[in-house]
Amino acid sequence: MSGVPDAVTDAYPNVKKQAAPIIRGQPTPIGTMQEHMGSVQASAFFKDGRRVVTGSMDGTLRIWDVQNGTLVGGPFEGHKDGAQAVAISSDGMRIVSGGRDNTIIIWDVENLNNQMVVKSSLIKHRSWVLSVCFSPDGKRVASGSEDKTVVVWDTETGAVLETLKGHRNSVFSVAFSPDGLKLATGSADRTIRVWRANSAEILLEIYAHQDLVRSVVWSADGQQLVSTSYDKTVKFWDSSTGYLQIGQPCIGHDAWVLSLAISSDGSFIATASDDMTVRLWNTKTHQHIAKALVHTAGVNCVAISPNGELLVSGDVQGKVWLWSIKDILEQYPAEDHGSLSNYSSESDETSSSDDNHSLLD
């Protein structure tokens, strides 16, 4: 017996179950996949929802078919050191990766045979590239680095469009707003900055956490920012002013919160932590919506499929984990909180603190 619930097995009959841990009363992964020879640092879903790209400390990128639980592309070699970050363009035709070799690589993707070829290798950062993202239209790439800078690139030509300076420590996260007009960055200086995407103008600085900011994402409507930190919390922010921290932080992780993903409909987030768990949270109540997804090692990255049904996580031992969100919510709901549809009447309340923001005209 695999220990995988029948509903999951029926939905994904071809997924290989590779030594997935079975913990009585806890969610069980559909399966695990392991080909990387180093820690899995980053993951992202293709828009078809059936493929994932991962980047690893072994310096490679790989493409996985999550329907079958198999490696279908790679290893793709280009970085001379660990691949720290990956992102996929909205049309699925390009991938960008950032590495500890100080380099950004833009890859052209041949989707029919899951092959990737290097389009351009971009060098400007003076230290590790820790984060990358595409603009919504795919015409620009942003990168954040240990050198404290953010660079915006032209995807087609590889030209530098803007260099954003202002953070006082490493930039761990970059994210374009849904309309592509703003760029949010999270840093080890404990702040989130929001920039005008077509210039170096700082629109907003939020003194967000008590420790370094590890991950930042936008809500689908662009009205909120969500951030994670080494202080073990997840926080929600009003993206228009920064004055308002929205509701209470999500609290439950016992170690650094390293990665964050938000569902396409904005109803829930997933967070990955060095405490060896992934947790699911309601974006209205900021409460758990399911029991923790327990791993066998620290979890570096997490991604949610476009339809919100699947979750992929990557751990420090090089393993890629596949989970059915639908089955987890049905079979392992949080014991002390309601489902996604059971929003608290207090969820719309916001808290304001003058210590948390600086609005720049």
Side-chain angles (χ1 to χ4, degrees):
M1 292 180 63
S2 67
V4 179
D6 292 341
V8 176
T9 305
D10 292 343
Y12 303 95
N14 297 318
V15 173
K16 296 179 180 179
K17 288 71 174 185
Q18 298 181 5
I22 301 172
I23 304 175
R24 190 175 300 277
Q26 295 292 329
T28 302
I30 298 171
T32 60
M33 305 171 285
Q34 186 155 18
E35 294 285 346
H36 281 298
M37 302 304 293
S39 172
V40 179
Q41 298 293 101
S43 59
F45 267 95
F46 284 83
K47 67 174 183 178
D48 61 17
R50 66 172 294 136
R51 291 173 300 151
V52 170
V53 63
T54 53
S56 169
M57 281 298 293
D58 64 14
T60 71
L61 274 63
R62 299 172 194 251
I63 298 176
W64 310 85
D65 184 326
V66 296
Q67 299 288 334
N68 298 314
T70 57
L71 180 69
V72 293
F76 300 107
E77 299 177 349
H79 289 287
K80 298 180 178 64
D81 203 340
Q84 188 73 23
V86 297
I88 305 174
S89 61
S90 58
D91 62 6
M93 300 301 293
R94 284 182 177 151
I95 288 174
V96 62
S97 57
R100 295 192 176 195
D101 56 0
N102 307 353
T103 301
I104 296 102
I105 298 178
I106 297 177
W107 309 76
D108 283 331
V109 181
E110 300 172 6
N111 284 296
L112 290 178
N113 56 8
N114 293 303
Q115 293 300 304
M116 291 162 45
V117 294
V118 174
K119 171 181 170 53
S120 53
S121 183
L122 310 177
I123 301 176
K124 180 176 173 61
H125 288 295
R126 300 186 308 276
S127 190
W128 295 354
V129 179
L130 302 174
S131 52
V132 292
C133 69
F134 279 101
S135 61
D137 62 8
K139 294 181 179 180
R140 292 164 293 167
V141 163
S143 56
S145 170
E146 192 181 48
D147 67 11
K148 309 177 188 178
T149 70
V150 177
V151 178
V152 180
W153 312 80
D154 184 296
T155 305
E156 194 62 39
T157 67
V160 174
L161 300 177
E162 300 289 344
T163 300
L164 311 181
K165 297 180 180 180
H167 279 298
R168 296 171 290 278
N169 210 325
S170 302
V171 181
F172 276 98
S173 185
V174 290
F176 279 99
S177 60
D179 61 10
L181 298 179
K182 298 176 182 179
L183 180 68
T185 57
S187 170
D189 65 13
R190 306 183 182 185
T191 71
I192 299 167
R193 290 187 177 224
V194 178
W195 314 72
R196 198 177 303 281
N198 61 357
S199 72
E201 180 184 0
I202 301 173
L203 301 175
L204 193 67
E205 184 175 23
I206 305 170
Y207 297 93
H209 288 273
Q210 297 302 308
D211 207 329
L212 67 84
V213 178
R214 192 63 171 78
S215 186
V216 178
V217 301
W218 294 82
S219 61
D221 61 8
Q223 298 301 304
Q224 295 185 36
L225 289 164
V226 190
S227 60
T228 68
S229 171
Y230 274 20
D231 68 10
K232 309 176 188 177
T233 69
V234 184
K235 294 183 179 181
F236 295 73
W237 306 94
D238 183 325
S239 65
S240 61
T241 67
Y243 282 89
L244 294 178
Q245 179 184 323
I246 301 172
Q248 296 301 309
C250 300
I251 298 175
H253 282 296
D254 296 324
W256 299 341
V257 187
L258 301 175
S259 180
L260 166 67
I262 189 167
S263 63
S264 58
D265 66 2
S267 63
F268 70 97
I269 60 171
T271 55
S273 172
D274 201 43
D275 66 8
M276 301 192 294
T277 71
V278 167
R279 294 175 184 264
L280 304 178
W281 311 83
N282 185 308
T283 55
K284 295 293 186 181
T285 66
H286 303 176
Q287 301 293 333
H288 291 112
I289 58 173
K291 292 183 177 180
L293 283 56
V294 178
H295 296 60
T296 55
V299 191
N300 288 325
C301 59
V302 65
I304 298 170
S305 64
N307 64 7
E309 293 183 358
L310 295 175
L311 182 147
V312 163
S313 50
D315 72 21
V316 300
Q317 295 179 337
K319 189 178 295 183
V320 179
W321 300 64
L322 177 63
W323 307 81
S324 168
I325 295 175
K326 179 176 181 291
D327 287 292
I328 289 169
L329 294 180
E330 290 178 352
Q331 300 177 27
Y332 302 99
E335 295 176 351
D336 52 345
H337 300 293
S339 66
L340 281 173
S341 61
N342 185 22
Y343 291 158
S344 166
S345 60
E346 300 176 354
S347 64
D348 293 330
E349 293 182 1
T350 57
S351 60
S352 175
S353 171
D354 290 339
D355 295 334
N356 287 336
H357 75 276
S358 170
L359 185 61
L360 306 179
D361 295 329

